[in-house]
Amino acid sequence: MPSPPHALVLGAGPTGSLLALALAHCGWTVRLQDPLSPAQLQDRQRAYALTHSTRRLLRRLGLWERLEPCLTPFRSLQLADLGCDRELAFLPGDLGESAAGASSSAAAIGWIVQHQALMARLLGQLEATAAIRTCLGQESPSTPPPAAREAEADAVFACDGPSSPTRQSLGVGCWQWVYRQACLTVQVRLRGCPDDTAMELLRPEGPFAVLPLGKGLFQLVWSAPLQRCRALEQLSPAAFLDRLAGALPDGLQPEALLTPPRAFPVALQLSRRLQRGRTLLVGESAHRCHPVGGQGLNLCWRDIEALLPLAERVAAGRLAASRLGGAYARRRWPDLLLTLLATDLLVRLFSNRAALLLPPRQLALGLLGRSQGLRRLALAVMSQGPCWPLRHGAA
């Protein structure tokens, strides 16, 4: 019997860790390495919104039940355009049977997970998987050339972030647009919002997401001009809560600050290639988008979903490892281009006070509010990716 293919995964964040588990599930042996220690990999105060594309992937890998205890489901997504005073709600009935994969009445629109809880479970599963060898917290004196890395593995998967040293060593450039906005993340105790409701508030200065963490706690993702975010970051807790109360809609009242606010710049970024030789760019080493709609991690994990059947074919001897990168790139380009385009258009259309754009915004939200078919289509795009309706037909 031939030996199983061997993978080198660079980067052990959420995407690199899940990719290592996925490859082991497909019959590969995996070496996962990262200069950060397990404690450092878990040390981030943020949360992610998970969609049904992620649920589908995790169930396929047998990980959904392991992660489910640390997930907070939300069964209502409130979308409000505060610039033209229109709002609507997406409910489980808008998912449709085919998109939800479960009874619509019992399904959630999505789930929120804290980074620390997610990484703790992924790292625990890595340690329990015999086919994976982890090398974490070991600084490499220099970045080996691509040829040296490929010599020790059948395929190299770069999951080393938006500034990917691997991508740079390959000489692969990227298209990039730095937004005038930045994002500020913070966790607060909030009164006036149910624990099973998430909100996407489209404000003239930028989107504002309210993500439930359970027991009255919420993660906020506040988009605003960079200087304003930096100024908010420096405020005292009491002064910050006062500013926050003024930014939230009537009825929502912040009660306590749970984590220090942290601001970071936001950019649209897409690598000009997704592979070179036997090295593949996965996750944020290949792409980044604006956090509007919570697409970031789900888009990264759809890279893994696209790799799964290809990795299985390599392990079964039906696909040469040298052809894996090309097949992966062909599968991923449509989803990446459409998702980055959609998030960019949302930001440009709604993050302004242009009077000429108010009528089309009012029309779009009005049509969504009146038509369940359009809501199902919009929710399928948000929760399954923009290519889902093309493959399965709109509900």
Side-chain angles (χ1 to χ4, degrees), residues 22 25-28 60 307-318:
H25 178 84
C26 293
W28 291 53
R60 182 173 177 179
L307 276 167
L308 267 179
L310 300 174
E312 289 172 344
R313 289 173 60 192
V314 173
R318 299 196 304 269

Side-chain angles (χ1 to χ4, degrees), residues 297-331:
L297 184 63
N298 299 286
L299 185 63
C300 293
W301 283 9
R302 288 204 297 273
D303 292 351
I304 300 173
E305 185 180 34
L307 276 167
L308 267 179
L310 300 174
E312 289 172 344
R313 289 173 60 192
V314 173
R318 299 196 304 269
L319 178 69
S322 59
R323 298 177 58 193
L324 175 63
Y328 160 71
R330 288 190 294 273
R331 289 187 175 215

Side-chain angles (χ1 to χ4, degrees), residues 68-390:
E68 199 167 12
C70 68
L71 304 180
T72 301
F74 58 93
R75 295 178 174 84
S76 174
L77 172 60
Q78 305 290 328
L79 178 65
D81 183 350
L82 303 185
C84 67
D85 198 26
R86 286 290 185 96
E87 62 182 50
L88 62 95
F90 292 95
L91 301 172
D94 298 323
L95 284 167
E97 294 285 338
S98 61
S103 170
S104 294
S105 61
I109 300 292
W111 300 263
I112 308 299
V113 63
Q114 298 257 35
H115 173 86
Q116 292 178 339
L118 173 64
M119 285 305 304
R121 283 162 174 78
L122 290 178
L123 291 171
Q125 191 64 27
L126 288 168
E127 290 300 320
T129 305
I132 300 174
R133 180 164 64 96
T134 59
C135 303
L136 307 180
Q138 301 177 18
E139 280 283 358
S140 176
S142 62
T143 301
R149 291 194 298 262
E150 291 180 0
E152 63 176 288
D154 294 287
V156 178
F157 300 87
C159 307
D160 46 356
S163 300
S164 173
T166 305
R167 187 186 68 237
Q168 295 176 27
S169 70
L170 291 170
V172 174
C174 62
W175 295 287
Q176 180 170 286
W177 174 263
V178 179
Y179 290 100
R180 295 178 183 177
Q181 299 171 356
C183 277
L184 184 143
T185 61
V186 64
Q187 294 182 9
V188 300
R189 185 179 300 280
L190 196 62
R191 185 173 68 247
C193 186
D195 279 341
D196 65 350
T197 296
M199 296 183 176
E200 187 73 63
L201 310 173
L202 302 172
R203 307 167 70 243
E205 68 173 5
F208 194 127
V210 181
L211 308 176
L213 303 174
K215 300 181 180 179
L217 310 183
F218 292 83
Q219 167 93 29
L220 307 181
V221 184
W222 184 351
S223 299
L226 178 59
Q227 290 184 340
R228 175 164 165 74
C229 286
R230 294 299 187 198
L232 290 167
E233 194 178 30
Q234 301 302 317
L235 293 175
S236 68
F240 179 85
L241 289 174
D242 285 343
R243 297 289 182 87
L244 176 59
L248 291 170
D250 293 341
L252 297 187
Q253 181 61 43
E255 294 185 327
L257 191 64
L258 305 177
T259 63
R262 291 288 180 262
F264 57 92
V266 182
L268 181 153
Q269 184 173 302
L270 179 62
S271 175
R272 295 177 185 270
R273 298 174 60 99
L274 299 182
Q275 55 88 215
R276 175 158 283 172
R278 282 184 284 135
T279 300
L280 289 69
L281 303 178
V282 182
E284 287 195 332
S285 66
H287 50 78
R288 292 176 74 191
C289 63
H290 194 286
V292 63
Q295 293 299 304
L297 184 63
N298 299 286
L299 185 63
C300 293
W301 283 9
R302 288 204 297 273
D303 292 351
I304 300 173
E305 185 180 34
L307 276 167
L308 267 179
L310 300 174
E312 289 172 344
R313 289 173 60 192
V314 173
R318 299 196 304 269
L319 178 69
S322 59
R323 298 177 58 193
L324 175 63
Y328 160 71
R330 288 190 294 273
R331 289 187 175 215
R332 289 306 293 143
W333 279 119
D335 185 24
L336 295 178
L337 292 171
L338 289 172
T339 301
L340 267 60
L341 177 62
T343 54
D344 185 65
L345 285 176
L346 276 174
V347 173
R348 294 180 187 277
L349 181 60
F350 289 96
S351 299
N352 60 74
R353 294 180 171 84
L356 290 176
L357 293 178
L358 291 181
R361 284 157 52 174
Q362 292 172 331
L363 176 63
L365 292 179
L367 290 173
L368 282 171
R370 289 191 294 270
S371 170
Q372 188 180 52
L374 287 177
R375 290 198 303 277
R376 285 188 173 185
L377 176 60
L379 199 54
V381 169
M382 287 190 291
S383 64
Q384 302 280 7
C387 295
W388 176 266
L390 300 178

